[in-house]
Amino acid sequence: MADTGLRAHVGTAAPKIGTFIFEFATPGVGQIVKAAGADYAVLDMEHSGFGFDTVRAAVASMRAAALPVVVRVPSQRREDISRVLDAGADGIMVPMVRSAEEARHVLDVAKYHPDGKRGVAMGFAHDRFTPPSTPLPEHFAAHNARTIVMLQIENGSGAEAADAMAAMDGVDVLWVGHFDLSVSLGIPGRFEHPDFRRAVDLTLAACRRHGKSAGRLAATVEECAALHAQGFDFLSISHDVGLFQTALSRGVSDLRAACRS
């Protein structure tokens, strides 16, 4: 487990491009996303309704494809975070993180001793069903080095605390949840509003200052490229539903036009 996987690219300027999985957690999804050239996938539990058995199967699919997988957990609860990590996820994305205290709680749950207080179960999916081959301190250190932690900035208090969160060892990515952030600021969908831009600027500045990454989802290639120019380096090009609908809609329209000609 010397490989630090996706976490090795935190803080680098090169774009890390992935997508969200909200609907199609099929046995082949890992191979499909990997074959498309993506760097990672985010498996969503917050809005999708995926149960834990579905997540376990999807994580196994992605690991078999050698595709790094981050699970967006539905809450900050210990049982949500620890279970997806024990299922083999490379990391977690945690919604609605409002303070450094909440960030510390996440790290305590996600990281083994001495970096946190993660519960210990060995030899299961996260260990590829093999017992540790090194002393426990080394085994813990290897897992801690691999486990990527993404915290979502989705409200004004989270943006104000961005610098304190980014300064913490173990926090890797501050991910702007743009819709929720705009709603929390009382300006739903107004992404050019000065208050929204200030919150984003605070987040980006915190990531730059502490050598961490900033992440965001966007609907189009052009929007993703513009976000990268702003300083976002973890980018999600839409999600499985949006990509499928866009491709199918284009195909249907093109076929109708071809049949009329």
Side-chain angles (χ1 to χ4, degrees), residues 8-66:
H9 302 284
V10 167
T12 63
K16 280 68 71 177
I17 301 169
T19 194
F20 275 70
I21 306 298
F22 285 90
E23 185 64 29
F24 303 123
T26 66
V29 67
Q31 299 287 351
I32 292 167
V33 177
K34 177 73 171 183
D39 298 311
Y40 68 95
V42 178
L43 187 63
D44 184 81
M45 292 186 76
E46 184 187 14
H47 298 296
S48 68
F50 288 152
F52 188 67
D53 283 345
T54 299
V55 168
R56 287 183 67 218
V59 167
S61 163
M62 293 179 190
R63 294 192 89 190

Side-chain angles (χ1 to χ4, degrees), residues 147-257:
T147 301
I148 189 167
V149 173
M150 302 182 173
L151 306 180
Q152 288 201 263
I153 305 300
E154 299 187 283
N155 46 62
S157 56
E160 295 294 337
D163 191 74
M165 289 192 270
M168 300 172 73
D169 290 339
V171 171
D172 300 303
V173 181
L174 298 183
W175 190 285
V176 173
H178 53 295
F179 280 114
D180 279 307
L181 179 57
S182 71
V183 169
S184 79
L185 296 172
I187 47 171
R190 297 172 62 188
F191 304 127
E192 297 304 318
H193 191 282
D195 291 348
F196 181 86
R197 293 172 68 93
R198 177 179 178 274
V200 170
D201 288 345
L202 286 172
T203 303
L204 289 171
C207 291
R208 285 193 298 269
R209 186 174 299 113
H210 299 288
K212 305 300 175 69
S213 285
R216 236 199 82 173
L217 179 150
T220 66
V221 169
E222 293 75 18
E223 188 180 3
C224 276
L227 291 171
H228 184 247
Q230 288 179 35
F232 290 94
D233 58 290
F234 269 80
L235 301 165
S236 174
I237 176 64
S238 190
H239 43 71
D240 56 350
V241 174
L243 293 169
F244 178 77
Q245 286 180 326
T246 297
L248 182 59
S249 176
R250 184 181 300 118
V252 168
S253 295
D254 290 349
L255 182 54
R256 289 193 193 284

